[in-house]
Amino acid sequence: MTTPTALEPGLRERKKRQTRDRLVEAAFALFAERGFDHVSAAEIAARADVSERTFFRYFPTKEDVIFPDTEEMRGRVDELVANLPTDLSVIEGLRRALQTISHEFEDSKELQLARARLVEATPSLQTLVLQHEEKWVESFADAIAARLGLDPDEDLRPELTAAVVVAAFRAVMNRWIRSGGEADIDQMLDQALVFLGSGLGSSDLD
Amino acid sequence: MTTPTALEPGLRERKKRQTRDRLVEAAFALFAERGFDHVSAAEIAARADVSERTFFRYFPTKEDVIFPDTEEMRGRVDELVANLPTDLSVIEGLRRALQTISHEFEDSKELQLARARLVEATPSLQTLVLQHEEKWVESFADAIAARLGLDPDEDLRPELTAAVVVAAFRAVMNRWIRSGGEADIDQMLDQALVFLGSGLGSSDLD
DNA sequence: TGACAATTGACAGTGGGTGTCAAACGACTA
DNA sequence: TAGTCGTTTGACACCCACTGTCAATTGTCA
């Protein structure tokens, strides 16, 4: 009679985790060598010592192996944003949520940059990034509408604000990636959100 | 000796055009009947009376047959935005460009709505829409930077403004589609851009 | 240890997409 | 009007992403 639940996942769970990790590792290594399009799922599987069929049991598509942690991330983002604090403005609440996320990016800088290089060179991967962002927009829009008590079917602004804030986040992250992880995310994010908050035509833009 | 250039395309060009049109028509008909994923390229080709191979000579992927006119559209958008008038604010210039585009949508309402229904039900098509928008963002960012004489590598704002404006356009178009083409695009676009222009935290949002 | 459930490998099949080559066809010329 | 040239097309073979199925393996729990 070993540990009953949750703690110490058990051999079966650990093996699954290992297989998954080996697949991700093999995929990144091969992609880095030859590029996404010149590596087949069968090769990744072979390098990880499992059958091709098993690869597709772990990842629905070849693209997905590049984003092994995105589902968890999404869960955390959802949680972070679902209950925006009422003692802060919406923008300020979103800014803090985005900062939490961007710090995670900085913590796994090498992975993020390797991924970014692959994505840049591979259209079908860019697609996935955009789809993930779409989901963020939905989460953000729901959160904003809830926080402000607006009906998202009536009022354009929750969706609009969400789309705009996520677009700003993307612009900042793109710049961070182009800087090789050197740029200061927090500062750029602040700048961007201040700019948005004060109006696009403001400052010396015109 | 017939007409030399450009006018009266000649039989060969006309046949190509016809084949292309037949493929698009066949594809939309079959997709409407059974959904994108349950129609093979071979079936589309058969219905248009050409070989499967020929289908792929006209469209690089099965997805692309849904967006037969998007390349032209992109050309026009580029042109529209490349030289933003200097006697208007950037936002106002972009607003007019977007209105021109949205009017094209209204003019081909049925096509757009049919397409929207397919896209909504088919993730691999959503992908394409997002990619097209990415290209718009690039065009817009370049145009804004040029209009304001800013260095897009130094200043975040051109890219940010572009991303944000395109995001707003998408939000408006989504709403238009959800309204079944009934909503007033111009009005929504005005509202959205006024909102953006005056700052996200403005009005009674907080 | 033995029964049960989850994981895996092997195999066969569908469908998207590409390379190649020869046949068919439109365009132009003598 | 026939003949030549370049383009378009169909046929065939092929690769790879992805799925359904089923039997064999392996972890779990009693």
Side-chain angles (χ1 to χ4, degrees):
Chain A
M1 208 170 291
T2 49
T3 50
T5 48
L7 330 166
E8 288 292 327
L11 181 52
R12 185 172 277 164
E13 286 303 312
R14 269 181 289 140
K15 281 210 158 184
K16 270 175 73 173
R17 182 82 224 173
Q18 282 170 18
T19 303
R20 188 187 162 88
D21 289 347
R22 285 211 318 280
L23 282 170
V24 170
E25 199 175 333
F28 268 88
L30 289 170
F31 290 157
E33 282 173 27
R34 310 211 298 273
F36 184 83
D37 292 330
H38 296 85
V39 174
S40 72
E43 290 175 290
I44 301 170
R47 178 142 170 170
D49 257 315
V50 295
S51 72
E52 183 185 359
R53 190 70 187 81
T54 295
F55 175 91
F56 286 107
R57 277 193 263 254
Y58 281 85
F59 301 98
T61 74
K62 199 176 89 174
E63 281 77 16
D64 286 302
V65 75
I66 303 285
F67 303 92
D69 50 359
T70 311
E71 272 311 301
E72 308 163 37
M73 170 87 88
R74 172 160 163 65
R76 265 170 290 148
V77 172
D78 261 21
E79 200 177 334
L80 214 57
V81 160
N83 296 41
L84 286 177
T86 50
D87 58 334
L88 297 174
S89 73
V90 168
I91 298 289
E92 179 58 19
L94 291 177
R95 191 184 67 79
R96 298 197 183 184
L98 290 175
Q99 265 181 2
T100 305
I101 299 163
S102 66
H103 290 161
E104 288 198 30
F105 274 71
E106 281 181 320
D107 289 343
S108 54
K109 196 199 273 193
E110 292 315 317
L111 171 66
Q112 299 302 332
L113 291 176
R115 181 182 294 175
R117 279 190 291 272
L118 276 174
V119 169
E120 190 178 9
T122 318
S124 61
L125 294 177
Q126 292 163 18
T127 282
L128 264 193
V129 174
L130 295 177
Q131 282 177 351
H132 289 140
E133 280 176 11
E134 277 283 295
K135 293 190 182 167
W136 283 23
V137 171
E138 286 172 32
S139 298
F140 280 33
D142 288 348
I144 295 168
R147 162 70 220 291
L148 296 176
L150 298 174
D151 176 1
D153 288 331
E154 269 304 308
D155 198 314
L156 234 178
R157 291 172 299 172
E159 187 179 349
L160 194 53
T161 305
V164 152
V165 166
V166 169
F169 183 69
R170 176 178 60 225
V172 167
M173 293 312 296
N174 280 345
R175 190 155 292 235
W176 179 73
I177 286 163
R178 284 202 298 271
S179 80
E182 295 301 316
D184 184 334
I185 296 184
D186 283 358
Q187 191 196 335
M188 290 194 295
L189 209 49
D190 280 349
Q191 281 177 9
L193 290 178
V194 165
F195 180 54
L196 291 184
S198 61
L200 290 190
S202 72
S203 70
D204 49 353
L205 238 194
D206 268 303
Chain B
M1 208 169 294
T2 48
T3 48
T5 48
L7 328 166
E8 288 292 328
L11 181 52
R12 184 172 279 163
E13 285 303 313
R14 269 180 289 140
K15 281 213 158 183
K16 269 175 75 173
R17 182 82 224 171
Q18 282 170 18
T19 303
R20 187 186 161 87
D21 289 347
R22 284 213 317 281
L23 283 169
V24 170
E25 200 174 333
F28 268 88
L30 288 170
F31 291 157
E33 282 173 26
R34 311 211 298 274
F36 185 82
D37 291 329
H38 296 86
V39 175
S40 73
E43 290 174 291
I44 301 171
R47 177 141 170 173
D49 258 313
V50 296
S51 74
E52 183 185 359
R53 190 69 187 84
T54 295
F55 175 90
F56 286 109
R57 275 193 264 258
Y58 281 84
F59 301 97
T61 72
K62 201 176 88 176
E63 281 78 16
D64 287 300
V65 76
I66 303 285
F67 303 92
D69 50 359
T70 311
E71 272 311 301
E72 308 164 37
M73 171 86 88
R74 170 159 164 66
R76 265 170 289 147
V77 172
D78 261 20
E79 200 176 335
L80 213 57
V81 160
N83 297 46
L84 285 177
T86 50
D87 59 332
L88 297 175
S89 73
V90 169
I91 298 290
E92 179 58 21
L94 291 177
R95 191 184 67 79
R96 297 196 185 186
L98 290 175
Q99 264 180 3
T100 306
I101 299 164
S102 67
H103 290 160
E104 288 197 29
F105 273 70
E106 280 181 320
D107 289 343
S108 53
K109 195 198 274 195
E110 293 314 318
L111 171 65
Q112 299 302 334
L113 292 176
R115 182 181 293 176
R117 279 189 291 272
L118 276 174
V119 170
E120 190 177 10
T122 318
S124 61
L125 294 176
Q126 293 163 19
T127 284
L128 267 191
V129 174
L130 294 176
Q131 281 177 351
H132 289 139
E133 279 178 11
E134 276 284 295
K135 293 189 180 167
W136 283 23
V137 171
E138 285 172 33
S139 299
F140 280 33
D142 288 348
I144 295 168
R147 161 70 221 292
L148 295 176
L150 297 175
D151 176 2
D153 288 331
E154 268 305 308
D155 198 313
L156 234 177
R157 290 172 298 173
E159 187 180 348
L160 194 54
T161 306
V164 151
V165 166
V166 170
F169 184 67
R170 175 178 61 225
V172 167
M173 293 312 295
N174 279 345
R175 190 156 292 237
W176 180 71
I177 287 164
R178 283 201 298 271
S179 80
E182 295 301 316
D184 184 334
I185 295 184
D186 283 359
Q187 191 197 336
M188 289 193 295
L189 209 48
D190 281 349
Q191 282 177 8
L193 290 178
V194 165
F195 180 54
L196 292 184
S198 60
L200 290 191
S202 71
S203 69
D204 50 351
L205 237 196
D206 269 304

